[in-house]
Amino acid sequence: MLAVSIMIGIFFGYRNHMQRKSRPQHSRNMTEAQDYLVGGRKMQTFPVAVSLVASWVSGVPMLGTATEIYLYGTQFCYIVFSMVLAGLLMNYLFLPVFHELQITSTYEYLQRRFDSRMRLIGSILFALACILWMPIVIYVPAMVFNQVTGVDIHVITPIVCIICMFYTSIGGLKAVVWTDVLQSGVTLLALLAVLIKGTYDVGGPAEVVRRSIAGERLEPPNFDPNPTLRHSFWIMLLGAPLWVCEGIACSQDMVQRFLALPTLNDARKALKGFVIGWIGINVTFFMIGLLVYATYHECDPLTAQLVKAKDQLLPFFVMETFAAYPGMTGVFVAGIFSAALSSLSSALNALSAVTLEDFFKPYCRKPLTEKQTSYIMRGSVLVYGAVAVMLSLLVQHLGTVMQLAMTLSAASAAPLLGMFVMGILMPWVNGTGALYGGITGLLTMFYMCYNAQYSIAAGSRTFDTKPVSVAECGYEVRYNTSIHSIFMDADKLIEQEYPDSELEQLETSIYHISYMYFTLFGMSVTCVAGTVVSSLVKLCGRDRDQPIDPKLLAPYIRKKQSTDIPLTTRSAPSNLK
């Protein structure tokens, strides 16, 4: 799989080089960036749709979804309906605006709609989120590889990252998209092999369903309106669609692929393919999660200490299922690495686009030459890749620091979505309002996420897991008394520090809401603060009404506001300094 990925990168790198040589000298600089970042805006719908799915499927959801189903049941499965709602929001609100503007960087929109400060904030938030997320993406499959082969994580991680950096920097978006197609095929093959063989061993689909119902894993939607639940019908209806939409509409690696297609109609077809493909892959994840429980319904590997961590459940299941089939465990490992590489290459290519379009071009007095453009794009891939390698080697040693890094990464998502919502759907918000609204949302979410993580670490925020059994393990089960005592001590500490009334108040704090409500809450804070500041600025007479390019607003808002606010048909200038 790694070798074929390298060959794809070399092929498209050579092809792009020959195409550039055949073009006139004066047009090479423009086409260099276009070919590398958006495939010349001539990509085909099918590979782009597959690449979009691959960007969202990393080793983290492959292992995490099965663990979620095993521990908490199938309430999370109803997120497939949230994906449909998020797809509708993207289709009718965000996609028409981005595609009509023909921008390369998603955050260029924020400058056209507001000012350069907003563009810089959006780009920095995305870059930080990617830098903190990439090490985790590559560490998870390296951990699995170490579990099934014994090869040191510090050896396999740099090798895989270097290969990813090579084909991403050589071939650009075209190489990323077509390696995603290859890697998606390997991932799907591994998942189907695990699902078919495991189901056969258990006794068929009917037996999996029977055991899952008996073990309370397979259950109908929970209509309890309590916002502090982990998952429920209302959380999936109100909070999850925006949580998903932020990842589609405000992320450079996703929007960049939509903009690589020649027409809006093609982009909408790719969006439909992405939604259908994502649902299909996640349904497979859900079935594997039920299968893992059906296999161990009478002998929980966690309680029996057959595995050390929750995320090792699926690799342990694969090792036992394919113990008599040499090479099949390698197919599963290749599938996990394929999912990780597709996400990593997408992030590196997106960071390359943001670095060129947002961090260099707006601040260069002279237009960049062809060589300068090439060095910046490819050099940024190497730099960000090297950072990912170094951080991935430290993940296992950082502990709470890495948890904090993940929290800060998640905290940036909600205000970023709020910035785009203010731009596309709220024409009354001006640049100053958007700036202070974004800052307010960011600080609020930092506070929310920090307290949420602290309450989980302190033991005041817990989630009830489904019942497990060790009746058929066949040997004495040893309980981890040290961990048990730690949680008991934490409970006693909380009871001593907070009386009953204060403890009850603590349990209903705002940061105890479901993590899927965080995006909705943070976006709302950002938009409300932006509206209030914009109104105050206008009341003080410090803001002159300026016409808004109708291309910067959602189609519905254009029609609704055409008679209420002054709109201009003049496009934004090409020089955005």
Side-chain angles (χ1 to χ4, degrees), residues 364-403:
C364 292
R365 296 182 179 180
K366 297 180 180 180
L368 295 172
T369 64
E370 179 185 358
K371 286 187 177 180
Q372 289 174 332
T373 301
S374 178
Y375 288 152
I376 291 172
M377 292 187 301
R378 290 171 172 81
S380 60
V381 170
L382 299 179
V383 171
Y384 288 121
V387 172
V389 170
M390 290 186 291
L391 292 180
S392 65
L393 299 178
L394 298 175
V395 167
Q396 60 180 332
H397 303 295
L398 292 180
T400 56
V401 176
M402 180 53 63
Q403 184 179 19

Side-chain angles (χ1 to χ4, degrees), residues 232-306:
S232 70
F233 170 81
W234 300 110
I235 292 172
M236 292 302 175
L237 179 66
L238 302 176
L242 293 178
W243 180 72
V244 175
C245 187
E246 187 279 330
I248 304 174
C250 304
S251 183
Q252 172 67 22
D253 57 335
M254 298 295 288
V255 177
Q256 191 171 333
R257 283 161 174 71
F258 289 119
L259 298 179
L261 294 162
T263 66
L264 176 60
N265 188 41
D266 291 330
R268 282 175 164 164
K269 289 180 181 179
L271 177 62
K272 293 177 184 177
F274 162 68
V275 172
I276 295 173
W278 186 91
I279 291 176
I281 289 292
N282 276 268
V283 168
T284 306
F285 288 161
F286 302 151
M287 295 169 65
I288 290 176
L290 294 176
L291 174 62
V292 173
Y293 172 74
T295 303
Y296 300 117
H297 72 294
E298 293 293 343
C299 183
D300 175 38
L302 291 168
T303 307
Q305 296 186 2
L306 299 177

Side-chain angles (χ1 to χ4, degrees), residues 299-567:
C299 183
D300 175 38
L302 291 168
T303 307
Q305 296 186 2
L306 299 177
V307 295
K308 298 179 181 179
K310 299 174 183 177
D311 289 332
Q312 292 179 338
L313 281 170
L314 183 56
F316 176 74
F317 169 75
V318 172
M319 291 175 65
E320 286 204 331
T321 301
F322 293 112
Y325 298 86
M328 288 305 298
T329 305
V331 174
F332 175 74
V333 173
I336 292 184
F337 268 108
S338 295
L341 282 178
S342 61
S343 300
L344 183 63
S345 61
S346 300
L348 290 174
N349 190 255
L351 286 170
S352 175
V354 168
T355 301
L356 175 67
E357 298 292 334
D358 298 330
F359 297 154
F360 276 89
K361 279 188 176 181
Y363 305 102
C364 292
R365 296 182 179 180
K366 297 180 180 180
L368 295 172
T369 64
E370 179 185 358
K371 286 187 177 180
Q372 289 174 332
T373 301
S374 178
Y375 288 152
I376 291 172
M377 292 187 301
R378 290 171 172 81
S380 60
V381 170
L382 299 179
V383 171
Y384 288 121
V387 172
V389 170
M390 290 186 291
L391 292 180
S392 65
L393 299 178
L394 298 175
V395 167
Q396 60 180 332
H397 303 295
L398 292 180
T400 56
V401 176
M402 180 53 63
Q403 184 179 19
L404 179 60
M406 293 174 64
T407 302
L408 298 180
S409 175
S412 66
L416 193 58
L417 178 61
M419 294 176 191
F420 281 96
V421 169
M422 287 188 293
I424 292 176
L425 299 178
M426 303 169 65
W428 57 85
V429 176
N430 54 36
T432 303
L435 175 64
Y436 286 100
I439 294 174
T440 302
L442 189 63
L443 295 177
T444 302
M445 292 312 298
F446 279 165
Y447 175 81
M448 284 274 293
C449 290
Y450 172 79
N451 282 282
Q453 292 296 324
Y454 177 78
S455 62
I456 292 174
S460 62
R461 175 67 164 141
T462 59
F463 300 100
D464 294 331
T465 58
K466 297 295 184 181
V468 294
S469 172
V470 291
E472 300 296 331
C473 285
Y475 50 85
E476 182 181 357
V477 177
R478 298 170 297 168
Y479 291 92
N480 193 331
T481 55
S482 60
I483 294 179
H484 179 71
S485 63
I486 289 175
F487 280 102
M488 292 295 292
D489 292 342
D491 291 338
K492 293 178 181 178
L493 179 62
I494 293 173
E495 291 176 0
Q496 294 173 1
E497 187 173 353
Y498 301 99
D500 292 340
S501 59
E502 295 184 13
L503 182 61
E504 182 178 355
Q505 181 179 1
L506 177 67
E507 292 177 348
T508 57
S509 298
I510 186 65
Y511 47 81
H512 283 176
I513 62 176
S514 171
Y515 68 97
M516 286 194 172
Y517 274 141
F518 276 29
T519 303
L520 174 62
F521 179 82
M523 184 201 72
S524 302
V525 170
T526 301
C527 294
V528 170
T531 299
V532 171
V533 173
S534 297
S535 301
L536 292 176
V537 170
K538 290 180 180 180
L539 287 176
C540 295
R542 296 184 179 181
D543 179 62
R544 294 175 295 176
D545 289 332
Q546 296 180 351
I548 301 175
D549 188 341
K551 293 181 179 180
L552 300 172
L553 302 173
Y556 171 75
I557 301 298
R558 298 176 196 174
K559 297 177 181 178
K560 189 175 185 302
Q561 296 292 331
S562 59
T563 58
D564 299 333
I565 63 173
L567 298 177

